[in-house]
Amino acid sequence: MIATIRHDWTLAEILALLELPLHELLFRAHTIHRQHFDPNLIEVSTLLSIKTGACAEDCSYCAQSAHHHTTLQPERMLALDAVLAAARTAQAAGATRFCMGAAWRNPTDTNLEQVIAMIAGVHALGLETCVTLGMLTAAQARRLKDAGLDFYNHNLDTSPEFYPQVITTRTFQERLDTLEHVREVGLKTCSGGILGMGESRQDRASMLRQLTNLPAHPEAVPINLLVQIEGTPLFGRDALDPFEFVRVVAAARVVMPQSNIRLAAGRSEMSDELQALCFFAGANSIFYGEHLLTAANATAARDRELLARLGLQFATVAAERREPGGCHHQH
Ligand code: SAM
Ligand code: DTB
Ligand code: SF4
């Protein structure tokens, strides 16, 4: 049986999921996961920061905000050949998607044309393309779609209630507007959030509710664990209980059965056992490669070893969805 795709989850229902006995929640999530995906395949995307730091926004988690005093050195936009060299390396290491991020509030139209040249080059290598450039107008989303982009990443980051404590220079509604522009032109959306910023369980449920109640579930849902950056306002926050992280991954799988749930930033701080639990709970995608945007990622060598120990394989194309009725779990 294939899970129904719902857009009407209530906060109370999602909170109730998060509050289930852990094994109950894991069983439900894994059962749904197997109905929609091969449970032994992991999708791998590699990130590259194409324009680093000096960002006008005040996101309180971010190393790249000009509002904070971090040790990060700002860098101008990378040249096309440097981007393509990084994409070739990522592809040779086994990545199937290349995600380019820029520290902008929004791109100018000139910025966009430069990024489009990068998208074209990466696409020509045979990689899926994703960019995350901040807010987009409807016309800019259309331009990216026409240029052949596959995915646009734009995170909701947290609940609408907790959001004002995290970012003051753009609103939650502006994020929803960008996602709408992206969706309306037929780009695939990648949208998720960050855990461990001091939010409550209710905030975590509320963020998932916002994602599920979008007119279409995002095709990819990155769940980031806050990477604590010295000099940012969120540095020194209490660490999140790892089981709470797993619960959110599992609940995300239950409420968005067909989306790729990505175990995103923060894996370098996670134990192998925690990552294995997250994969069981329905995470089927990772960022792969030594760097995230500015922070270190789990190393590629550690990831290859971990996946081998768990009997998991890199998906050769984006994690394939099961054909309805084509499930091979025990009935
Ligand atoms: N500047 C663009 C924007 O914010 O829309 C694109 C890049 S931004 C770095 C992409 C996302 O990375 C953020 O929305 C946030 O969810 C995530 N992120 C940034 N810094 C992080 C950190 N220290 N820990 C976890 N996730 C982080
Ligand atoms: C997402 O959800 N996480 C990625 C990607 N989308 C762009 C970024 C993580 C950034 C982690 C902190 C850093 O590297 O600065
Ligand atoms: Fe800028 Fe994006 Fe970092 Fe916010 S998350 S400060 S918009 S780079």
Side-chain angles (χ1 to χ4, degrees), residues 55 57-59 61-62 64-65 102-105 170:
C55 184
E57 302 285 82
D58 71 352
C59 311
Y61 47 77
C62 188
Q64 306 197 67
S65 166
W104 291 320
R105 173 177 164 82
R170 84 170 70 149

Side-chain angles (χ1 to χ4, degrees), residues 222-244:
I223 309 286
N224 296 276
L225 177 64
L226 175 69
V227 178
Q228 298 211 1
I229 312 273
E230 203 163 350
T232 61
L234 295 186
F235 184 71
R237 280 287 145 111
D238 288 345
L240 186 71
D241 176 2
F243 293 125
E244 181 69 8

Side-chain angles (χ1 to χ4, degrees), residues 58-62 132 153-160 162-163 166-167 170 172 175 179 190-197 199 203-204 206-208 210-211 222-224:
D58 71 352
C59 311
S60 57
Y61 47 77
C62 188
T132 181
N153 166 251
H154 198 67
N155 289 341
L156 292 183
D157 276 355
T158 190
S159 68
F162 190 65
Y163 186 93
V166 181
I167 300 151
R170 84 170 70 149
F172 193 84
R175 289 183 185 258
L179 284 177
C190 171
S191 188
I194 310 177
L195 308 183
M197 298 195 293
E199 75 288 343
D203 289 315
R204 294 174 202 122
S206 175
M207 177 181 87
L208 289 180
Q210 289 288 327
L211 291 168
I223 309 286
N224 296 276

Side-chain angles (χ1 to χ4, degrees), residues 1 40-41 173 234 296 301 311:
M1 198 191 80
N40 302 314
L41 287 184
Q173 183 58 47
L234 295 186

